[in-house]
Coordinates of all heavy atoms in Angstrom, one line a residue:
E165 N 9.8 -4.8 -8.7 CA 9.5 -6.1 -8.3 C 8.7 -6.2 -7.0 O 9.0 -5.3 -6.1 CB 10.8 -6.8 -8.1 CG 11.6 -7.1 -9.4 CD 12.9 -7.9 -9.1 OE1 12.9 -8.7 -8.1 OE2 13.9 -7.7 -9.8
T166 N 7.8 -7.1 -6.9 CA 7.1 -7.4 -5.7 C 7.0 -8.8 -5.5 O 7.1 -9.6 -6.5 CB 5.7 -6.7 -5.8 OG1 5.0 -7.3 -6.9 CG2 5.7 -5.2 -5.9
N167 N 6.8 -9.3 -4.3 CA 6.6 -10.7 -4.1 C 5.1 -11.0 -4.1 O 4.2 -10.1 -4.2 CB 7.2 -11.1 -2.8 CG 6.7 -10.4 -1.6 OD1 5.5 -10.2 -1.5 ND2 7.5 -10.1 -0.6
Q168 N 4.8 -12.3 -4.0 CA 3.3 -12.7 -4.1 C 2.5 -12.2 -3.0 O 1.3 -12.0 -3.1 CB 3.3 -14.2 -4.3 CG 3.8 -14.6 -5.7 CD 3.7 -16.2 -5.8 OE1 3.7 -16.9 -4.8 NE2 3.7 -16.6 -7.0
R169 N 3.1 -12.2 -1.8 CA 2.3 -11.8 -0.6 C 2.0 -10.3 -0.6 O 1.0 -9.9 0.0 CB 3.1 -12.2 0.7 CG 3.2 -13.7 0.9 CD 3.8 -14.0 2.2 NE 4.0 -12.9 3.0 CZ 4.9 -12.8 4.0 NH1 5.8 -13.8 4.1 NH2 5.0 -11.8 4.8
N170 N 2.8 -9.5 -1.1 CA 2.7 -8.1 -1.0 C 2.6 -7.5 -2.5 O 3.7 -7.5 -3.1 CB 3.8 -7.5 -0.2 CG 3.6 -5.9 0.0 OD1 2.6 -5.4 -0.6 ND2 4.5 -5.3 0.6
S171 N 1.5 -7.2 -3.0 CA 1.4 -6.7 -4.3 C 1.5 -5.2 -4.5 O 1.3 -4.7 -5.6 CB 0.1 -7.3 -5.0 OG -1.0 -6.7 -4.3
T172 N 1.8 -4.5 -3.4 CA 1.9 -3.1 -3.5 C 3.2 -2.7 -4.3 O 4.1 -3.5 -4.2 CB 1.9 -2.4 -2.1 OG1 3.1 -2.8 -1.4 CG2 0.7 -2.6 -1.4
P173 N 3.3 -1.6 -4.9 CA 4.5 -1.3 -5.6 C 5.7 -0.9 -4.7 O 6.7 -0.6 -5.2 CB 4.1 -0.1 -6.5 CG 2.8 0.4 -5.9 CD 2.2 -0.7 -5.1
Y174 N 5.5 -0.8 -3.4 CA 6.5 -0.4 -2.5 C 6.7 -1.5 -1.4 O 6.2 -1.4 -0.3 CB 6.2 0.9 -1.8 CG 5.9 2.0 -2.8 CD1 4.6 2.4 -3.2 CD2 6.9 2.6 -3.6 CE1 4.3 3.3 -4.1 CE2 6.7 3.5 -4.5 CZ 5.4 3.9 -4.8 OH 5.1 4.9 -5.7
P175 N 7.4 -2.6 -1.7 CA 7.4 -3.7 -0.8 C 8.3 -3.5 0.4 O 8.2 -4.1 1.4 CB 8.0 -4.8 -1.6 CG 8.8 -4.2 -2.7 CD 8.1 -2.9 -3.0
N176 N 9.2 -2.5 0.4 CA 10.2 -2.3 1.5 C 9.8 -1.0 2.3 O 10.7 -0.2 2.5 CB 11.6 -2.2 1.0 CG 12.0 -3.5 0.3 OD1 11.6 -4.6 0.8 ND2 12.6 -3.5 -0.8
I177 N 8.6 -0.9 2.7 CA 8.2 0.3 3.4 C 8.6 0.2 4.8 O 8.5 -0.8 5.5 CB 6.7 0.5 3.3 CG1 6.2 0.7 1.9 CG2 6.2 1.7 4.2 CD1 4.7 0.6 1.7
P178 N 9.3 1.3 5.4 CA 9.7 1.2 6.8 C 8.4 1.0 7.7 O 7.3 1.4 7.3 CB 10.2 2.6 7.1 CG 10.6 3.2 5.7 CD 9.6 2.5 4.7
P179 N 8.6 0.3 8.8 CA 7.5 0.0 9.7 C 6.6 1.2 10.1 O 5.4 1.0 10.4 CB 8.1 -0.6 10.9 CG 9.5 -1.0 10.5 CD 9.9 -0.1 9.3
I180 N 7.2 2.4 10.2 CA 6.4 3.6 10.6 C 5.3 3.9 9.6 O 4.3 4.5 10.0 CB 7.3 4.8 10.9 CG1 6.6 5.8 11.7 CG2 7.8 5.4 9.6 CD1 7.4 6.8 12.3
L181 N 5.5 3.5 8.4 CA 4.5 3.8 7.4 C 3.8 2.5 6.9 O 4.4 1.8 6.2 CB 5.1 4.5 6.1 CG 5.7 5.9 6.4 CD1 6.4 6.4 5.2 CD2 4.6 6.8 6.9
E182 N 2.6 2.3 7.4 CA 1.9 1.1 7.0 C 1.3 1.2 5.6 O 1.1 2.3 5.1 CB 0.8 0.8 8.0 CG -0.3 1.7 8.1 CD -0.1 3.0 8.9 OE1 -0.2 2.9 10.1 OE2 0.2 4.0 8.3
S183 N 1.2 0.1 5.0 CA 0.6 0.1 3.6 C -0.5 -1.0 3.6 O -0.3 -2.1 4.1 CB 1.7 -0.2 2.6 OG 1.2 -0.2 1.3
H184 N -1.5 -0.7 2.9 CA -2.7 -1.6 2.8 C -2.9 -1.8 1.3 O -3.3 -0.9 0.6 CB -3.9 -1.1 3.4 CG -3.7 -0.8 4.9 ND1 -3.7 -1.8 5.9 CD2 -3.4 0.4 5.6 CE1 -3.4 -1.3 7.0 NE2 -3.3 0.1 6.9
D185 N -2.7 -3.1 0.9 CA -2.9 -3.4 -0.5 C -4.2 -2.9 -1.1 O -4.3 -2.4 -2.2 CB -2.8 -4.9 -0.8 CG -1.4 -5.5 -0.7 OD1 -0.5 -4.7 -0.7 OD2 -1.3 -6.7 -0.6
S186 N -5.3 -3.0 -0.3 CA -6.7 -2.6 -0.8 C -6.7 -1.2 -1.2 O -7.4 -0.8 -2.1 CB -7.7 -2.9 0.3 OG -7.5 -2.1 1.4
E187 N -5.9 -0.3 -0.6 CA -5.9 1.1 -0.9 C -5.3 1.4 -2.2 O -5.5 2.4 -2.8 CB -5.2 1.9 0.2 CG -6.0 1.9 1.5 CD -5.3 2.6 2.7 OE1 -4.2 3.1 2.5 OE2 -5.9 2.5 3.8
Y188 N -4.4 0.5 -2.8 CA -3.9 0.7 -4.1 C -4.9 0.4 -5.2 O -4.8 0.7 -6.3 CB -2.6 -0.2 -4.3 CG -1.4 0.3 -3.5 CD1 -1.1 -0.2 -2.3 CD2 -0.7 1.4 -4.0 CE1 0.0 0.3 -1.6 CE2 0.4 1.9 -3.3 CZ 0.7 1.3 -2.1 OH 1.8 1.9 -1.4
R189 N -6.0 -0.4 -4.8 CA -6.9 -0.8 -5.8 C -8.2 0.0 -5.7 O -9.1 0.0 -6.5 CB -7.2 -2.3 -5.6 CG -6.0 -3.1 -6.0 CD -6.4 -4.6 -5.9 NE -5.1 -5.4 -5.9 CZ -4.5 -5.7 -4.8 NH1 -4.9 -5.4 -3.6 NH2 -3.4 -6.4 -4.9
D190 N -8.5 0.7 -4.5 CA -9.8 1.4 -4.4 C -9.7 2.7 -5.1 O -8.6 3.2 -5.5 CB -10.2 1.5 -2.9 CG -9.4 2.5 -2.1 OD1 -8.7 3.3 -2.6 OD2 -9.5 2.4 -0.9
A191 N -10.8 3.4 -5.2 CA -11.0 4.6 -5.9 C -10.5 5.8 -5.1 O -10.6 7.0 -5.5 CB -12.4 4.8 -6.4
G192 N -10.2 5.6 -3.8 CA -9.8 6.7 -3.0 C -10.9 7.2 -2.1 O -12.0 6.6 -2.1
I193 N -10.7 8.2 -1.3 CA -11.7 8.7 -0.3 C -11.7 10.2 -0.4 O -10.6 10.8 -0.5 CB -11.4 8.2 1.1 CG1 -12.5 8.5 2.0 CG2 -10.1 8.7 1.6 CD1 -12.5 7.7 3.3
T194 N -12.8 10.8 -0.4 CA -12.9 12.2 -0.6 C -12.5 13.0 0.6 O -12.5 12.5 1.7 CB -14.4 12.7 -0.9 OG1 -15.2 12.2 0.2 CG2 -14.9 12.1 -2.2
S195 N -12.0 14.2 0.4 CA -11.7 15.1 1.5 C -13.0 15.6 2.1 O -14.0 15.7 1.4 CB -10.8 16.2 1.0 OG -10.7 17.2 1.9
S196 N -13.0 16.0 3.3 CA -14.2 16.5 3.9 C -14.4 18.0 3.6 O -15.5 18.6 3.8 CB -14.2 16.3 5.4 OG -13.2 17.0 6.0
V197 N -13.3 18.7 3.2 CA -13.4 20.0 2.8 C -12.9 20.2 1.3 O -11.7 20.2 1.1 CB -12.5 20.9 3.7 CG1 -12.7 22.4 3.4 CG2 -12.8 20.7 5.2

């Protein structure tokens, strides 16, 4: 379950670990090595 404001699959993330909805939808980012 998620609410309408937060569509990430992990709605109860502790404050030390931020979550950005856009990162769940993007294709990722390459490693430099």
Side-chain angles (χ1 to χ4, degrees):
E165 292 183 30
T166 59
N167 60 37
Q168 291 178 337
R169 289 182 17 204
N170 183 359
S171 62
T172 62
Y174 306 103
N176 298 319
I177 298 170
I180 197 166
L181 296 176
E182 67 278 283
S183 180
H184 302 282
D185 285 348
S186 64
E187 291 175 4
Y188 285 100
R189 292 184 195 90
D190 74 14
I193 190 164
T194 59
S195 171
S196 63
V197 184

